[in-house]
Amino acid sequence: MSVPAETIELARCQVCPARFLPSDGPCPRCGSTESQLYLSPALGRVLAATELVHPAAGWEGPHRLALVELPEAVRLLAIVDGSLPSVDAVVAVRREGEVYRARGEPIDPTR
Amino acid sequence: MTTHITSVGTGRFGKRPEGLVDLAAEAAQRALDGIGRKPIDLLVAGTMLAHGPHGSEAFLPRLASRLSLESSSGLRVDSASGTGGMAFHTAVFALESGRFERALVVAAEKMTDRSTAVITRELAASLHPSEVACGATMPALAALVAEQYLQRYQLTTAVLDAASVHARAMAARNINAQFQRPVTAEEVATSRPVALPLRLLHCSPISDGATALVLERGRGAATVLGLGQGLDALRLVDRTDLTSFIATRIAAKRAYESAHLTRKEVDVVEVHDAFSPFGMIHIEDLGICGAGEAPAWFEKGWAGLDGRVPVNPSGGVIGRGHPVAASGLAEVAEVALQLRGEAGMHAVARTPKVGLAHAMSGIGTHNFVTILGREDT
């Protein structure tokens, strides 16, 4: 499997083995504030996805969200662009400002 | 030091014309009527969404003034949808400190004066800002939890329908519940989608309402046997398993230990089923049944009034209604009513000796477990 050109920035705790989504907070597992950023392939497996028929104020419906698992069990919540992906589909993710986005169309990670 | 509930007051949940303080005062006055003219030396009040015309900044003093309790001490608490649970625990801690003799605990919410979109945004304030930035709402995250639960145990949405049918059947027996009409599984399954797999009747409604109770030192028919709280990561993506709420497991362990009881001694439970999969997850996390076993409880009637352990005889959050801050206290109040033999049409079939109330903030971020028992015989 070739590594895709796209990467995403994740955090590695310097005290415990945890890998997590970067945030202003400490390590979600051990509470350490010492972490290091690293780049990971921006491909993840869809754990669950939903479509909000009536999204929160300020969003246009239907609004689709997916819980995506990246390598090393790091999870993120992504806005889905396009159709709702099925569970276990592999999707490309990217960061856009403060949010993450996933392409709705599944891709074949082996190509 | 031991404390017990000596009076319960509640009004009807649902769409009400009254304002926040009026609703709170109605429930409070009913609770006070139950103890005669005994003095209250502590008022604990909770509300979550009050602002603007409701005068949230002055909620407690306004309520104290309405009840002529200006000579009491006061504490105001807020833990989102777990506020009622937090209010009750706070009152117990205060009485157990020896500083107070008798507390009036009140939790209230006014919600139906705002649009669904506004309420949805306000409730999302209990979620992590980075997830709200993605447009996440409570129903959206609950839908992800539901999907994970269904996948893990290879279930269909029929189990979610069964949980809602149970809730509405119980509520139909409770004159204070928002919904007085039972629903069929077909009605649930064909109700409008909210955030699939969740449909409208899988979700708790927007409600007005208040609950109050009086807590005193001593022992009685609804004695506080154990309390426990648990916290979990606010950001949902930092949790490794969405088919269980760690905050409930921690709270339950602490409550059982402090009560010197096991799950097998619990005769009735009230859980915070803000969405139908949550009711199933909660009874598993509380140890009422094993992991993945909860669907059978709702499909086979084991959660009914004459079931193995009755679940949510009040109708729960889905059937009774969900004035968010009030729900956690309504859960404690329902268990107290069951133990005191005052539950009327929704009384469980076998007189309970021990009951458990569970309250939840946000998506299982800060959960509260309260164990009450009969100690008057």
Side-chain angles (χ1 to χ4, degrees):
Chain A
M1 170 181 163
S2 61
V3 176
E6 295 82 6
T7 55
I8 192 166
E9 202 169 54
L10 302 179
R12 173 191 290 121
C13 180
Q14 297 296 86
V15 175
C16 81
R19 306 283 187 272
F20 55 94
L21 211 55
S23 74
D24 295 334
C27 168
R29 189 185 296 181
C30 75
S32 165
T33 55
E34 295 176 32
S35 63
Q36 188 176 40
L37 298 176
Y38 69 101
L39 292 175
S40 173
L43 289 180
R45 182 173 67 90
V46 174
L47 297 177
T50 189
E51 180 175 292
L52 283 82
V53 179
H54 300 288
W59 295 88
E60 289 185 7
H63 184 64
R64 302 180 180 95
L65 292 171
L67 179 66
V68 179
E69 188 164 78
L70 301 167
E72 300 184 277
V74 177
R75 293 177 171 194
L76 59 77
L77 185 69
I79 299 167
V80 177
D81 295 317
S83 58
L84 198 67
S86 56
V87 170
D88 287 334
V90 175
V91 295
V93 295
R94 63 187 168 87
R95 184 166 183 170
E96 185 180 281
E98 293 304 304
V99 303
Y100 294 91
R101 288 185 174 274
R103 281 202 295 271
E105 299 75 25
I107 60 174
D108 181 354
T110 62
R111 286 199 302 181
Chain B
M1 191 173 296
T2 306
T3 58
H4 66 130
I5 296 167
T6 54
S7 182
V8 171
T10 187
R12 188 178 55 78
F13 284 10
K15 185 172 175 57
R16 300 277 304 262
E18 302 95 328
L20 177 72
V21 175
D22 294 332
L23 291 167
E26 176 193 66
Q29 195 56 58
R30 288 179 181 172
L32 292 173
D33 289 346
I35 58 162
R37 292 178 173 272
K38 293 177 189 168
I40 295 291
D41 54 6
L42 175 67
L43 170 63
V44 181
T47 189
M48 174 190 176
L49 300 173
H51 58 70
H54 307 297
S56 70
E57 298 80 2
F59 174 57
L60 191 144
R62 286 175 69 194
L63 181 59
S65 178
R66 281 284 297 276
L67 300 169
S68 300
L69 291 178
E70 293 96 332
S71 61
S72 304
S73 295
L75 292 168
R76 159 101 184 259
V77 301
D78 178 356
S79 180
S81 49
T83 295
M86 177 180 273
F88 185 75
H89 285 208
T90 300
V92 173
F93 297 153
L95 263 63
E96 287 182 346
S97 76
R99 189 177 283 264
F100 304 101
E101 292 283 341
R102 188 176 295 108
L104 174 66
V105 191
V106 187
E109 207 72 77
K110 178 71 184 176
M111 301 173 76
T112 66
D113 57 348
R114 276 156 278 178
S115 70
T116 300
V118 169
I119 285 291
T120 301
R121 188 183 64 215
E122 292 184 349
L123 292 175
S126 59
L127 307 177
H128 194 280
S130 69
E131 295 176 342
V132 176
C134 288
T137 61
M138 288 290 293
L141 297 189
L144 299 176
V145 170
E147 193 167 305
Q148 288 266 279
Y149 188 85
L150 296 177
Q151 282 171 39
R152 178 165 184 170
Y153 300 111
Q154 300 187 320
L155 303 164
T156 70
T157 53
V159 299
L160 306 180
D161 304 341
S164 294
V165 168
H166 168 80
R168 292 287 294 265
M170 296 294 104
R173 304 174 71 92
N174 178 358
I175 58 169
N176 287 316
Q178 180 161 353
F179 296 113
Q180 296 290 312
R181 185 180 70 81
V183 292
T184 64
E186 185 181 359
E187 283 178 275
V188 179
T190 57
S191 60
R192 71 171 172 81
V194 172
L196 289 172
L198 298 180
R199 293 175 177 275
L200 184 66
L201 296 185
H202 296 133
C203 304
S204 53
I206 291 170
S207 319
D208 306 323
T211 299
L213 53 81
V214 176
L215 187 69
E216 302 184 33
R217 289 193 204 169
R219 298 172 189 276
T223 302
V224 179
L225 301 182
L227 302 178
Q229 296 184 20
L231 286 155
D232 197 1
L234 180 59
R235 200 166 65 161
L236 206 67
V237 298
D238 288 330
R239 302 185 194 175
T240 55
D241 181 6
L242 295 187
T243 64
S244 171
F245 293 115
I246 298 299
T248 297
R249 289 183 176 266
I250 295 169
K253 183 172 186 293
R254 290 173 176 165
Y256 287 134
E257 284 176 358
S258 66
H260 305 292
L261 291 172
T262 71
R263 57 185 174 78
K264 293 180 180 174
E265 290 161 280
V266 175
D267 300 315
V268 58
V269 295
E270 275 281 318
V271 297
H272 201 105
D273 60 335
F275 302 93
S276 54
F278 289 8
M280 292 186 280
I281 292 172
H282 296 329
I283 65 170
E284 293 176 7
D285 286 338
L286 293 168
I288 302 302
C289 63
E293 293 177 4
W297 281 60
F298 294 97
E299 291 180 316
K300 297 182 179 177
W302 299 342
L305 294 179
D306 59 352
R308 294 180 177 184
V309 178
V311 177
N312 288 359
S314 74
V317 176
I318 286 177
R320 184 186 61 232
H322 191 20
V324 282
S327 287
L329 194 61
E331 286 143 9
V332 175
E334 174 66 18
V335 171
L337 290 174
Q338 294 287 345
L339 292 169
R340 289 164 59 88
E342 298 171 350
M345 287 289 288
H346 51 107
V348 300
R350 292 181 296 280
T351 305
K353 291 180 180 171
V354 174
L356 183 153
H358 161 272
M360 179 175 81
S361 303
I363 300 278
T365 308
H366 190 180
N367 297 359
F368 301 83
V369 170
T370 302
I371 300 176
L372 303 178
R374 289 194 69 96
E375 295 217 328
D376 58 339
T377 53

